[in-house]
């Protein structure tokens, strides 16, 4: 009852108070007013400490106005006066300085793990750094049965899973429990160009291959089996000696057992001789030195021995273990001693290989035949290669349709250390790839796709890194840097290794003024699609060791104004492309002194009184050296220091205006805006000339462009 009375009293008091304050007191407003609001407005509960948590917005705003001090006027806002800003001077245009590009970040090296047959998922997870569960999910996605994490898996499945994870793999093959049998040695013949490597092989197998080669030099990597007079057989690899075929020589050293280093007795140690020694050292392969051309009058084998010893090759004559044999491929002398040295070295090495089980082979060369398709020349390392097997070669796969030996005879099997030609690939692999035998077509296809994906990813990363490096170089260069022109090239050749060697040689001709862009590399004859591609990207076509062009393709190339260069000798090809690069290069602008004159006397021509033309001083000169041209820039020198430099305003000889004055003649010369001539001064005639780069070829066959 007390609360009701209190509320009724407060309500009447607040309504009268609100009326006095000018606040509307409608019935709805009073009904929606809560008890605490009413008590608060009347001031009844203010002193008792009760807080109003449910006050309406209107009462809260009224409370704020009510709490102001009575009788004091709320100060109003000051009127803002807009101040007029002083006129500012226009901003000075500063030269734009582009931000320096960030330095290219070197991509992190991809991890390489060793895999082998029968390894478990746990061991693969440890090597790749992934979880067992993620590897099992990848195995399930490729259709492999997922069991325990300690179950063994095949080496093909391990490679598939590792490729999906993003790591490189190296296959390890164990010979435990396998039957090892003796095998013939693989001997690679290396040396400088034109030192008689192919002639030596011709003398050993009684053939004449060197006479059939273009230019008399080897430009392919050939494999042959030679039956020696003693009954033993040796597999020989003939490598090219030109500087352009470095990668071929490296592949030959990687697959060989023994390196036969051929050095001409009349020529001595040359650059490719040293390179062959380094390849053999990197591959950890023993060397047998054959000093050729000992029948020539200028032969000096002792000088060759001293040169080889000074290069760090431990010869037997100097207390080392490297055998040295003096031979003559032309007369056949010393060949029996070379055979003994090679067989002795092979016996010391005790060469044996596994015969049973799947084969491991190495691609020596690859080419495209018009009738048989892609052909692969390979040497079997271990195991037996047979017709009908599914193989993966690099990023390509196929089913062996036929196997042929070096004489072209079909065979069903290929054993260790025997070079064979394989037919049945779906695409053309790269020279130097390993051949892997798999169990089914599906597995071969999956391995090929995984490797192709990995190669494409690596190619994109290299392109990105090259673009970053180019951007960084462009940012560092100044405005005076020479302009760089691009020369697009399409390379076609007879075999894969030769095509890669030609492409690498053309890339070595890059210069600050011209960039050689290899648009496409292919094996086989030049086709209409190559002409269309060259027309689309404004490229020229380079054909190496190919047959003559068909008439329709030649006509189409002429209509499209496309240059086609066809050569069979690497010397001539690089020389012609080098001339084209020199022709296309923009060159570098240089200031050159074309003439020099001495001031003998000075003549002054004064203007008229009312004329606005200034006075003119004429220098009477005698040309000491070179010639003076009216269109050139003149430089005034006094005591060796430059006094003035400007254009020629007038050049006269015997009161006649002339364009040029030669050495020994006298002339009158006026330099624009120059009035400071003295007798004895020297005037130089300057001309802007464009200096083209030079194509330089060394004795070793290496070429370069010098700017």
């Amino acid at each position: 009852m007390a609360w009701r009375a209190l509320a009724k009293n407060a309500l009447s008091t607040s309504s009268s108070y609100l009326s006095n304050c000018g606040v509307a007191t409608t019935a709805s407003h009073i009904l929606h007013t809560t008890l605490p609001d009413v008590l608060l407005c009347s001031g009844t509960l203010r002193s008792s400490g009760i807080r109003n948590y449910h006050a309406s917005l209107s009462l809260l705003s009224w409370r704020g106005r009510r709490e102001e001090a009575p009788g004091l006027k709320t100060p109003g806002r000051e009127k803002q006066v807009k101040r007029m800003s002083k006129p500012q001077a226009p901003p000075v245009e500063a030269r734009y300085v582009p931000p320096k590009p960030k330095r290219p970040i070197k991509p992190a090296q991809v991890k390489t793990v060793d895999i082998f047959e029968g390894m478990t998922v746990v061991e693969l997870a440890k090597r790749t750094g992934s979880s067992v569960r993620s590897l099992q999910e990848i195995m399930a996605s490729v259709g492999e049965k997922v069991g325990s994490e300690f179950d063994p898996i095949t080496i093909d499945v391990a490679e598939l899973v590792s490729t999906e994870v993003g790591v490189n793999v190296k296959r390890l093959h164990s010979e435990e429990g396998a039957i090892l049998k003796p095998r013939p040695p693989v001997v690679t013949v290396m040396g400088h160009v034109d030192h008689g490597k192919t002639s030596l092989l011709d003398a050993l197998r009684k053939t004449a291959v060197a006479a059939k080669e273009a230019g008399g030099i080897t430009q392919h990597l050939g494999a042959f089996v030679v039956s020696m007079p003693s009954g033993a057989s040796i597999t020989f690899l003939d490598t090219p000696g030109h500087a352009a075929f470095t990668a071929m020589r490296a592949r030959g050293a990687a697959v060989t057992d023994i390196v036969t280093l051929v050095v001409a007795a009349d020529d001595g140690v040359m650059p490719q001789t040293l390179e062959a020694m380094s390849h053999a050292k990197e591959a950890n392969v023993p060397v047998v030195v054959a000093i050729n051309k000992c029948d020539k009058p200028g032969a000096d084998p002792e000088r060759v021995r001293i040169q080889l010893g000074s290069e760090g090759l431990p010869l037997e004559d100097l207390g080392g273990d490297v055998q040295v044999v003096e031979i003559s491929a032309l007369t056949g002398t010393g060949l029996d001693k070379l055979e003994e040295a090679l067989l002795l070295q092979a016996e010391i090495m005790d060469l044996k290989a596994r015969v049973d089980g799947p084969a491991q082979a190495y691609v020596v060369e690859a080419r495209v035949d018009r009738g048989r398709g892609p052909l692969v020349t390979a040497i079997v390392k271990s195991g037996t290669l047979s017709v009908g097997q599914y193989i993966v070669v690099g990023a390509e796969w196929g089913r062996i349709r036929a196997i042929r030996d070096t004489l072209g005879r079909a065979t069903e099997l290929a054993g260790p250390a025997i070079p064979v030609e394989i037919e049945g690939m779906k695409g053309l692999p790269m020279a130097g790839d390993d051949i892997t035998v798999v169990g089914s077509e599906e597995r071969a296809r999956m391995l090929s796709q995984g490797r192709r994906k990995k190669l494409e990813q690596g190619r994109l990363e290299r392109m990105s890194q090259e673009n970053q490096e180019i951007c960084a170089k462009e940012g560092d260069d100044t405005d005076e840097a020479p302009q760089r022109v691009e020369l697009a090239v399409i390379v076609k050749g007879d075999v894969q290794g030769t095509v890669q060697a030609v492409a690498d040689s053309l890339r070595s001709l890059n210069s600050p003024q011209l960039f050689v862009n290899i648009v496409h590399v292919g094996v086989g004859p030049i086709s209409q699609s190559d002409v269309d591609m060259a027309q689309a990207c404004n490229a020229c076509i380079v054909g190496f060791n190919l047959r003559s062009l068909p008439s329709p393709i030649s006509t189409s190339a002429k209509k499209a104004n496309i240059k086609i260069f066809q050569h069979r000798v690497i010397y001539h090809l690089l020389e012609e492309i080098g001339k084209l690069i020199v022709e296309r290069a923009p060159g570098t602008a240089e200031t050159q002194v074309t003439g020099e004159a001495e001031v003998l006397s000075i003549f002054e021509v004064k203007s008229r009184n009312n004329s606005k033309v200034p006075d003119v001083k004429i220098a009477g000169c005698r040309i000491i050296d070179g010639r003076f041209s009216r269109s050139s820039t003149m430089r005034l020198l006094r005591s060796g220091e430059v006094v003035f430099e400007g254009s020629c305003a007038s050049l006269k000889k015997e009161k006649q205006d002339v364009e040029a004055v030669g050495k020994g003649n006298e002339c009158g010369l006026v330099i624009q805006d120059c009035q400071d001539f003295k007798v004895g001064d020297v005037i130089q005639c300057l001309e802007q000339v464009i200096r083209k780069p030079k194509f330089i070829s060394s004795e070793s066959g290496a070429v370069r462009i010098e700017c």
Side-chain angles (χ1 to χ4, degrees):
M1 294 297 290
W3 277 102
R4 288 183 180 180
L6 184 62
K8 185 176 180 180
N9 186 19
L11 184 62
S12 60
T13 307
S14 61
S15 60
S16 60
Y17 185 82
L18 292 174
S19 299
N20 296 332
C21 295
V23 180
T25 57
T26 59
S28 62
H29 184 84
I30 295 174
L31 289 174
H32 285 86
T33 304
T34 60
L35 178 62
D37 295 336
V38 175
L39 296 178
L40 177 65
C41 294
S42 61
T44 306
L45 296 179
R46 180 185 299 272
S47 59
S48 60
I50 300 177
R51 299 179 62 182
N52 52 329
Y53 290 101
H54 304 286
S56 62
L57 295 177
S58 59
L59 289 179
L60 286 176
S61 62
W62 170 82
R63 176 189 174 189
R65 292 197 300 270
R66 177 176 168 272
E67 287 180 353
E68 295 176 357
L72 294 178
K73 188 177 180 180
T74 305
R77 293 184 179 179
E78 295 182 359
K79 188 176 181 181
Q80 296 181 355
V81 180
K82 186 176 181 180
R83 297 181 180 179
M84 299 296 293
S85 59
K86 296 181 180 180
Q88 298 180 354
V92 180
E93 293 186 359
R95 182 183 177 185
Y96 173 71
V97 180
K100 290 186 178 181
K102 296 181 180 180
R103 292 184 177 181
I105 301 174
K106 294 184 179 180
Q109 294 183 353
V110 182
K111 187 178 181 180
T112 302
V113 299
D114 296 335
I115 59 174
F116 52 89
E117 188 74 27
M119 68 185 309
T120 61
V121 180
V122 175
E123 190 167 4
L124 183 61
K126 290 180 180 179
R127 299 194 178 201
T128 58
S130 304
S131 63
V132 175
R133 184 178 181 82
S134 62
L135 297 187
Q136 289 177 341
E137 290 177 355
I138 296 174
M139 291 172 59
S141 65
V142 299
E144 190 68 20
K145 183 180 178 181
V146 180
S148 171
E149 58 188 27
F150 299 102
D151 291 344
I153 59 176
T154 62
I155 191 171
D156 299 333
V157 174
E159 181 177 350
L160 281 173
V161 174
S162 302
T163 305
E164 289 294 327
V165 171
V167 299
N168 296 331
V169 298
K170 180 181 179 182
R171 289 181 169 236
L172 301 179
H173 299 276
S174 177
E175 305 292 343
E176 294 182 3
I179 301 175
L180 302 180
K181 293 185 178 181
R183 63 171 179 85
V186 179
V187 179
T188 300
V189 182
M190 305 178 73
H192 193 71
V193 63
D194 201 25
H195 274 201
K197 299 181 296 297
T198 307
S199 300
L200 172 60
L201 289 177
D202 288 342
L204 290 173
R205 56 188 180 149
K206 305 296 188 293
T207 57
V209 175
K212 301 177 184 178
E213 291 179 328
I217 62 173
T218 302
Q219 300 173 126
H220 300 84
L221 189 62
F224 318 97
V225 178
V226 179
S227 297
M228 308 303 288
S230 61
S233 61
I234 300 177
T235 300
F236 282 97
L237 292 180
D238 187 14
T239 62
H242 191 270
F245 302 103
T246 302
M248 284 190 179
R249 290 188 291 274
R251 289 198 299 271
V255 74
T256 191
D257 299 316
I258 305 171
V259 169
T260 298
L261 185 62
V262 179
V263 186
D266 59 340
D267 204 7
V269 175
M270 299 298 286
Q272 268 63 59
T273 310
L274 301 176
E275 184 191 277
M277 292 168 56
S278 65
H279 285 320
K281 185 177 181 180
E282 291 175 4
N284 196 18
V285 177
V287 178
V288 174
V289 178
I291 303 178
N292 196 14
K293 302 183 180 181
C294 290
D295 57 324
K296 280 195 169 185
D300 191 358
E302 291 300 326
R303 181 173 67 93
V304 175
R305 285 185 170 89
I306 294 173
Q307 290 177 344
L308 292 174
S310 63
E311 295 296 337
L313 196 65
L315 306 180
E316 278 188 343
D317 301 343
L318 303 176
D321 56 354
V322 176
Q323 304 179 68
V324 182
V325 182
E326 297 180 8
I327 62 170
S328 173
L330 188 63
T331 61
T333 57
L335 296 183
D336 53 345
K337 296 182 180 179
L338 179 62
E339 176 192 356
E340 292 177 4
L342 294 176
L343 294 178
L344 176 61
Q345 186 66 45
E347 185 178 353
I348 294 173
M349 298 174 68
D350 191 20
L351 299 173
K352 292 182 179 181
R354 174 177 54 84
V355 179
D356 57 340
Q360 304 165 32
Y362 183 89
V363 177
V364 175
E365 197 59 271
R367 64 187 179 93
V368 176
D369 187 80
R370 182 174 297 180
R372 295 188 290 167
L375 301 178
V376 176
T377 302
I379 290 183
V380 180
K381 296 180 181 179
S382 62
T384 302
L385 206 62
S386 61
V387 176
Q389 290 179 331
Y390 290 98
I391 57 175
V392 180
V393 187
E396 304 294 338
W397 71 279
R399 184 174 181 268
I400 300 178
R401 188 165 59 243
I403 299 177
R404 301 179 185 275
D405 59 10
T406 54
L407 300 178
R409 296 174 299 191
T411 178
E412 293 292 327
L413 303 174
I418 302 298
V420 291
E421 192 175 61
I422 302 172
E423 180 181 338
M425 294 296 300
K426 300 294 181 182
L428 191 69
M430 300 292 293
D433 288 340
D434 288 321
I435 298 177
T436 304
V437 179
V438 296
S440 62
E441 179 180 349
E442 182 183 3
R443 183 58 49 80
R445 196 186 299 271
M446 293 177 67
L447 273 176
S448 175
Q449 291 176 355
R451 293 181 180 182
R452 193 170 295 157
K453 180 181 177 181
K454 192 73 176 175
L455 288 176
E456 183 66 17
Q457 183 181 357
R459 187 183 69 85
L460 293 177
E461 289 178 357
R462 287 194 301 271
M463 288 180 60
S464 176
Q465 186 178 1
E466 289 175 0
N467 292 336
Q468 290 180 359
E469 291 176 356
I470 291 174
C471 293
K473 289 180 180 179
E474 289 179 354
D476 294 339
D477 292 342
T478 59
D479 297 337
E480 300 178 357
Q483 183 184 2
R484 199 178 194 195
V485 181
E486 180 178 322
L487 175 64
V489 181
I490 296 174
V491 181
K492 297 299 288 289
D494 55 344
V495 295
Q496 182 70 43
T498 306
V499 168
Q500 291 296 328
V502 172
D504 293 340
S505 299
L506 294 179
R507 290 190 185 97
S508 67
L509 296 178
N510 285 336
S511 66
Q513 298 184 19
L514 191 136
F515 170 65
V516 180
N517 183 17
I518 306 298
V519 178
H520 174 67
V521 173
V523 177
I526 299 173
S527 60
Q528 183 61 39
S529 62
D530 298 325
V531 177
D532 297 339
M533 185 187 299
Q535 186 177 5
C537 58
N538 193 20
C540 62
I541 302 176
V542 173
F544 186 74
N545 209 14
L546 299 176
R547 297 178 181 178
S548 58
L549 279 176
S551 180
I553 296 177
S554 179
T555 305
S556 175
K558 286 182 180 179
K559 288 182 179 179
N561 196 20
I562 295 172
K563 291 185 178 181
I564 298 179
F565 304 97
Q566 279 195 293
H567 290 279
R568 297 177 64 86
V569 182
I570 191 70
Y571 292 114
H572 303 157
L573 172 64
L574 296 179
E575 185 177 352
E576 188 165 3
I577 297 297
K579 291 180 180 178
L580 178 64
I581 290 176
V582 171
E583 179 184 342
R584 293 276 187 93
T588 306
E590 292 183 350
T591 302
Q592 185 176 357
V593 179
T594 59
E596 198 169 285
E598 182 183 358
V599 179
L600 303 179
S601 59
I602 302 169
F603 306 95
E604 186 173 357
V605 179
K606 294 187 176 181
S607 61
R608 297 178 182 179
N609 295 332
N610 298 330
S611 176
K612 296 182 180 180
V613 180
D615 298 342
V616 177
K617 282 191 176 182
I618 303 172
C621 308
R622 178 184 291 116
I623 309 299
I624 302 174
D625 188 19
R627 61 192 297 273
F628 269 49
S629 176
R630 185 175 181 178
S631 60
S632 303
T633 303
M634 301 299 169
R635 178 186 293 167
L636 180 63
L637 301 177
R638 185 173 300 153
S639 300
E641 296 183 358
V642 179
V643 177
F644 187 83
E645 188 171 322
S647 59
C648 179
S650 175
L651 181 64
K652 291 189 177 184
K653 178 184 176 183
E654 297 177 356
K655 299 183 180 180
Q656 298 287 334
D657 288 330
V658 292
E659 292 296 327
V661 180
K663 180 180 179 180
N665 296 317
E666 295 183 355
C667 63
L669 178 66
V670 177
I671 301 177
Q672 189 75 31
D673 299 330
C674 181
Q675 304 291 331
D676 187 15
F677 289 114
K678 289 186 179 180
V679 177
D681 289 349
V682 176
I683 300 177
Q684 291 180 341
C685 180
L686 308 178
E687 287 187 0
Q688 292 285 336
V689 295
I690 303 298
R691 185 171 64 88
K692 290 279 189 177
K694 296 180 181 179
F695 174 76
I696 298 177
S697 176
S698 62
E699 295 181 358
S700 63
V703 295
R704 72 179 191 276
I705 299 294
E706 187 178 277
C707 296

